[in-house]
Amino acid sequence: AINPDITLELLSWGAPGFVKNAEDKQEQYRLRYLWFKQTLDAAYETYGLQFDYVDPNYNERLPDIAWIKYFSDSLKSEKDTPYPYDKIKIVAADEVTAYNIGTRMIADEELKNAVDVIGIHYTSTSDENTLKCKNEYGKELWYSEGLPPAAVEKYAVNADGSGLAGVNSVLDVAGRIINMYPGGGYTMYEFQPPVAAYYSGANYYPKQLITANEPWSGYAEAGAGIEMCAHFSYFSDIGWQFVKSGCFGDGREENHVLYDTANNYMTLCDPQTGDYSVILANNTAYSRSYNFTVKNLDKASAQVQIWETRGPDEGQEYDANYLSNIMSVEPQSTDNGYTYSFTVKPYSMVTVTTLDKTRPVTRFEGSSQRLALPYMDDLEYADMDESFLSSRGYAPLYTTDIGGAFEVVQTDNGNVLQQKISNDMRGVEWGVTPLPVTTFGDDCWANYTVSAKVKFDRSQRENAEHNADENYAGIGLRYINSSAAGSKSGYAVTLTESGKWQLTRMGETLAEGDVKNTGSKTFDPDKWHELSITAMGDNLSAAIDGIQVAALTLSGEVTFSGRAALYSSYDLNCFDDIAVLPTDMTAYVTRVDDLDSAVSYEGEWLHNAMDQYTCHNRTTSSADGQGGFAFSFEGDSLALIGKASDDAAISVSIDGIPAAENESVKALTAKSAFWHRYSLGYGEHDVTVTVNSGSVTLDAIEYGSDTVLKDGDPSLGHLSDESADPQTADKPDKPNQKRSRLFEKAALCALAVLSAAVVISAVRKRKKRSG
């Protein structure tokens, strides 16, 4: 809808279980092809999508030559198709920094005829045989998976003054795009991914051009990668050609990084008009001066415009100098052509163009919004169109599956959520796939209760290998990082088919027991069972069927905030009546990046704008036995998120009063709080932190804010909004909120009188009220 000229390519990272379990290789090929064919059919029938390219090989695996030829022959033989499948071009083989496919094509005429495009990942160079396929046999070469910029420029700028420089930065990626043609003959660069519509905390986040992960608000945010792309594609078009004498790139690309560059420029021209654009990137601290000589182009004498992207000058906003038209230049006529000179500043990129352009819009309107609590989903979506669920593959609202597949299914008593993949269905997997877990909601949720009903899959009970202790279902909260071991992040309570339960943090057991020992005496695995888990400050509790099974006080390394989660084994277990209710403490946190300008540092700190993706925004600030930082906030609780070594000790002062004196702290897992305090009293607070010994790495600061409940009563509104309760303010209704105002009020009333230890969901489906 946005761009009808977009081209589509299909690539698989794995395959379904029926492919994996085929009796022999030939049957596997047949079933695998059928899967591709049905996918092409369904994409057209459901969404009107027509694919231009298919790579049949598994992503980043050795080329399966026999399969590629089988697929190409089969696809080109298709007759009764909604559009000409024989015109779809074949890409091979999406390897990582390897050139096997070109060598195999030269030695195999059938393979050479089958493949139209050679796609290689994370290298801007080619070997002799790959280039021979391009130059002698007319095959396209693609840099078919490359990084988008992974830095968050508005924070990175406070580490290096530019925000655009360094490893995996805007300038690093721009250099790879410039290098790909002179270095390897590549004519297309594919971002993986261009848009992050997956939650923060998921693997590899952030690494995108556009962030669009607030489905409840529709808010999207563009990074500087958009301006980087504009330097290329806004000043050229499909059909423009590379000018070989105007393309050069040096440096070496290793481990997804371009090192040691001294000169990087790309020239593109319109063969019809003679217009041209030159793109230059400088990811160094030194200026680069260029002398341009242009001839044999119709626009060789034309005035050129200079468009520049660089970091801010002192006192400017971080993006003040993005994609700015800084000057025009008149070429001078000489005996050798038309000449002019220009200097590319340190840590900047430039486009020199004959095109007369105005600056494009590169930012989205609107602002980020919190997902309001209480949040409930009865999975019925009664007020939505009948096609609502089918059009989204039966995925419920706002969930993202980290492992497994959670889909809404219809039953005689209404809709339920079911984990759909069993062990015998597991297919060809690209890497290590987490155990089934789906997360949902806002990762700034802090103090709340999650409740849901669960029912165990009984289909495997007659199997001699079935173990009731291994079939489990669970719910969780404060889920913050899917890279945690087994993707078991935050706190969770799980129940097995045999009636055993566990309360865990990051997968490590905090408490465990058996329902039969908690007063129930019996446990019926065929019935629905209600689970609830509550985090209220440092108090964590869990209940099963309304009976408290655990209550404890958290200490040491804690998880301070995060979204809700549903867990399952690889069994077809079901969930229903999902509710997330605020406690009578601050429901949300505000999260401040360690490189936010609101944080001031003293002493020796190492600021890293490109740390691991397990860190918030990939940024960290580290001190080893010396240094301090200060900040102010308005709220009622505080957490310092990061890591601290075994011998670390800090002192903390809040509003001039010591809150910690040389206190030992320790945190070894990502996005944990190595120090925190509740009950500070809502208001403005000034904080200073001193690192006395050991190593401390600050990742973020979180403080309770925005939704402090008046007098602990949810029905009285919030201190941050004196005029209206957020649930009834003038905002677009969310589907699950719009149909269940009565349920929300009932839940709020119930919450006000229930203890934090035992919370019984007040959510009930309309279809099930009589039951």
Side-chain angles (χ1 to χ4, degrees):
I2 296 172
N3 180 6
D5 296 325
I6 198 167
T7 55
L8 299 176
E9 181 193 358
L10 188 64
L11 168 67
S12 70
W13 285 34
F18 62 78
V19 173
K20 178 181 177 181
N21 299 329
E23 292 182 0
D24 54 40
K25 182 69 73 173
Q26 201 63 22
E27 179 65 3
Q28 187 179 87
Y29 285 176
R30 187 188 73 81
L31 292 172
R32 191 172 168 191
Y33 174 77
L34 181 63
W35 175 51
F36 269 87
K37 166 67 166 53
Q38 291 176 340
T39 301
L40 292 170
D41 293 344
Y44 182 82
E45 292 167 3
T46 307
Y47 303 109
L49 299 179
Q50 298 187 30
F51 279 82
D52 305 277
Y53 301 91
V54 173
D55 183 348
N57 208 65
Y58 290 128
N59 177 71
E60 297 185 350
R61 296 296 180 259
L62 287 172
D64 186 338
I65 302 303
W67 160 244
I68 294 171
K69 292 191 289 188
Y70 178 100
F71 182 90
S72 178
D73 288 343
S74 301
L75 191 68
K76 290 172 182 175
S77 300
E78 292 288 351
K79 301 299 182 185
D80 186 19
T81 57
Y83 58 95
Y85 286 3
D86 61 335
K87 302 299 184 185
I88 296 175
K89 293 183 178 181
I90 304 299
V91 183
D94 281 287
E95 296 178 89
V96 184
T97 63
Y99 313 110
N100 294 304
I101 192 67
T103 300
R104 299 295 297 271
M105 287 168 65
I106 289 174
D108 187 333
E109 187 76 12
E110 184 182 358
L111 179 65
K112 184 177 69 176
N113 293 333
V115 175
D116 302 288
V117 180
I118 294 177
I120 302 176
H121 294 186
Y122 298 106
T123 179
S124 51
T125 61
S126 296
D127 70 347
E128 180 181 357
N129 288 333
T130 303
L131 286 171
K132 184 176 181 179
C133 289
K134 169 185 166 61
N135 297 327
E136 295 187 21
Y137 305 133
K139 306 301 181 182
E140 289 186 64
L141 302 186
W142 288 358
Y143 192 132
S144 57
E145 180 180 317
L147 286 169
V152 180
E153 296 82 18
K154 61 185 174 183
Y155 302 125
V157 69
N158 294 320
D160 59 22
S162 165
L164 305 170
V167 171
N168 295 337
S169 66
V170 163
L171 297 174
D172 181 5
V173 175
R176 301 180 213 187
I177 297 173
I178 290 172
N179 278 19
M180 71 177 182
Y181 179 75
Y186 301 99
T187 57
M188 197 265 284
Y189 184 101
E190 282 191 88
F191 295 105
Q192 196 277 346
V195 181
Y198 55 101
Y199 287 138
S200 60
N203 284 10
Y204 312 125
Y205 181 95
K207 185 186 75 168
Q208 63 269 347
L209 303 174
I210 296 170
T211 304
N213 59 6
E214 286 188 15
W216 49 85
S217 72
Y219 174 68
E221 183 176 9
I226 291 296
E227 279 84 5
M228 179 199 71
C229 290
H231 271 281
F232 295 92
S233 58
Y234 189 59
F235 301 103
S236 66
D237 206 345
I238 293 174
W240 282 43
Q241 296 179 349
F242 291 95
V243 179
K244 290 184 178 181
S245 61
C247 294
F248 181 82
D250 61 11
R252 54 188 174 84
E253 191 167 356
E254 296 178 2
N255 300 318
H256 300 188
V257 178
L258 182 62
Y259 297 98
D260 302 331
T261 66
N263 230 344
N264 306 88
Y265 52 86
M266 172 193 288
T267 303
L268 302 164
C269 78
D270 185 340
Q272 303 300 318
T273 67
D275 282 301
Y276 70 92
S277 296
V278 187
I279 304 97
L280 309 96
N282 182 4
N283 193 17
T284 74
Y286 306 99
S287 297
R288 293 178 179 174
S289 295
Y290 294 90
N291 297 314
F292 294 81
T293 300
V294 188
K295 57 186 177 182
N296 301 327
L297 289 175
D298 290 344
K299 297 290 182 72
S301 63
Q303 182 187 77
V304 295
Q305 304 295 318
I306 311 294
W307 290 79
E308 179 185 69
T309 291
R310 62 180 177 87
D313 294 327
E314 186 174 354
Q316 289 184 321
E317 291 295 319
Y318 75 97
D319 58 353
N321 299 313
Y322 288 3
L323 202 62
S324 300
N325 188 341
I326 61 172
M327 67 173 71
S328 59
V329 177
E330 293 285 349
Q332 301 299 309
S333 178
T334 69
D335 293 339
N336 195 35
Y338 292 88
T339 66
Y340 54 96
S341 300
F342 184 75
T343 297
V344 179
K345 299 181 184 71
Y347 301 126
S348 70
M349 70 180 298
V350 163
T351 296
V352 179
T353 184
T354 58
L355 297 177
D356 185 14
K357 292 276 194 173
T358 58
R359 192 190 191 285
V361 176
T362 57
R363 290 292 178 266
F364 297 101
E365 296 182 354
S367 59
S368 176
Q369 297 179 21
R370 299 273 64 89
L371 178 58
L373 292 175
Y375 174 82
M376 304 181 189
D377 194 344
D378 64 5
L379 305 169
E380 299 299 337
Y381 307 110
D383 294 340
M384 306 302 289
D385 186 88
E386 288 185 2
S387 64
F388 174 73
L389 280 170
S390 60
S391 69
R392 49 192 288 116
Y394 295 92
L397 279 174
Y398 307 155
T399 59
T400 184
D401 296 345
I402 307 299
F406 293 76
E407 298 177 7
V408 177
V409 298
Q410 293 180 331
T411 73
D412 292 340
N413 292 318
N415 293 343
V416 300
L417 186 65
Q418 186 176 57
Q419 199 291 116
K420 299 289 286 184
I421 298 180
S422 58
N423 265 314
D424 60 343
M425 291 171 58
R426 294 178 68 177
V428 178
E429 298 176 344
W430 183 75
V432 178
T433 300
L435 294 172
V437 55
T438 191
T439 72
F440 62 96
D442 195 316
D443 70 352
C444 287
W445 287 347
N447 295 296
Y448 59 100
T449 294
V450 180
S451 65
K453 294 193 299 185
V454 301
K455 189 174 185 181
F456 294 103
D457 171 30
R458 298 284 283 176
S459 62
Q460 298 295 316
R461 307 270 169 105
E462 305 305 320
N463 188 333
E465 298 179 357
H466 178 70
N467 187 337
D469 287 342
E470 295 178 355
N471 181 10
Y472 65 87
I475 61 174
L477 43 65
R478 294 184 182 176
Y479 190 104
I480 196 66
N481 206 339
S482 67
S483 63
S487 290
K488 294 181 178 179
S489 178
Y491 302 95
V493 58
T494 57
L495 178 67
T496 70
E497 182 188 325
S498 61
K500 296 178 181 178
W501 60 268
Q502 278 190 322
L503 183 63
T504 60
R505 176 187 181 266
M506 298 293 186
E508 296 184 3
T509 302
L510 301 177
E512 59 186 341
D514 193 312
V515 171
K516 295 184 288 292
N517 298 328
T518 59
S520 177
K521 304 300 182 185
T522 61
F523 180 77
D524 187 346
D526 288 318
K527 290 185 176 180
W528 284 92
H529 296 277
E530 186 169 41
L531 306 181
S532 70
I533 183 171
T534 297
M536 187 165 67
D538 282 332
N539 297 311
L540 181 69
S541 60
I544 300 174
D545 293 328
I547 299 174
Q548 179 179 307
V549 295
L552 51 86
T553 300
L554 302 172
S555 61
E557 181 180 10
V558 303
T559 305
F560 203 70
S561 62
R563 55 183 59 89
L566 303 175
Y567 294 89
S568 175
S569 53
Y570 274 107
D571 294 278
L572 308 185
N573 296 322
C574 293
F575 301 80
D576 201 2
D577 290 346
I578 301 164
V580 185
L581 307 175
T583 68
D584 62 353
M585 292 185 68
T586 305
Y588 293 132
V589 298
T590 294
R591 188 174 295 115
V592 179
D593 193 87
D594 64 287
L595 291 182
D596 193 289
S597 56
V599 186
S600 60
Y601 292 89
E602 290 187 357
E604 297 184 15
W605 288 84
L606 176 63
H607 301 293
N608 188 349
M610 189 45 61
D611 209 319
Q612 301 295 315
Y613 69 82
T614 53
C615 303
H616 180 59
N617 292 326
R618 295 182 182 253
T619 65
T620 55
S621 296
S622 301
D624 192 1
Q626 52 191 336
F629 59 93
F631 60 96
S632 299
F633 72 96
E634 182 180 359
D636 64 352
S637 54
L638 168 67
L640 307 180
I641 309 299
K643 294 186 177 182
S645 62
D646 289 345
D647 59 345
I650 64 173
S651 295
V652 182
S653 173
I654 301 178
D655 301 328
I657 301 172
E661 290 281 2
N662 201 33
E663 183 175 322
S664 295
V665 292
K666 179 180 177 180
L668 302 178
T669 57
K671 296 186 178 177
S672 292
F674 60 83
W675 190 90
H676 69 284
R677 287 291 186 275
Y678 288 100
S679 303
L680 298 178
Y682 193 89
E684 295 193 10
H685 300 286
D686 299 318
V687 180
T688 59
V689 179
T690 302
V691 179
N692 300 320
S693 62
S695 177
V696 170
T697 297
L698 182 66
D699 186 12
I701 296 166
E702 295 182 0
Y703 56 88
S705 67
D706 298 335
T707 57
V708 180
L709 302 174
K710 293 180 180 179
D711 301 322
D713 185 347
S715 67
L716 296 181
H718 303 78
L719 289 177
S720 61
D721 188 353
E722 297 292 343
S723 62
D725 184 329
Q727 299 304 309
T728 58
D730 185 18
K731 298 179 182 178
D733 278 328
K734 310 300 186 293
N736 66 304
Q737 294 170 339
K738 181 168 61 177
R739 70 171 180 274
S740 57
R741 294 296 184 194
L742 290 175
F743 295 159
E744 290 179 3
K745 292 179 181 178
L748 288 170
C749 293
L751 182 66
V753 298
L754 289 173
S755 71
V758 183
V759 179
I760 301 174
S761 170
V763 182
R764 290 293 182 268
K765 291 184 180 178
R766 284 175 285 191
K767 290 185 179 180
K768 301 177 183 178
R769 280 182 181 170
S770 61

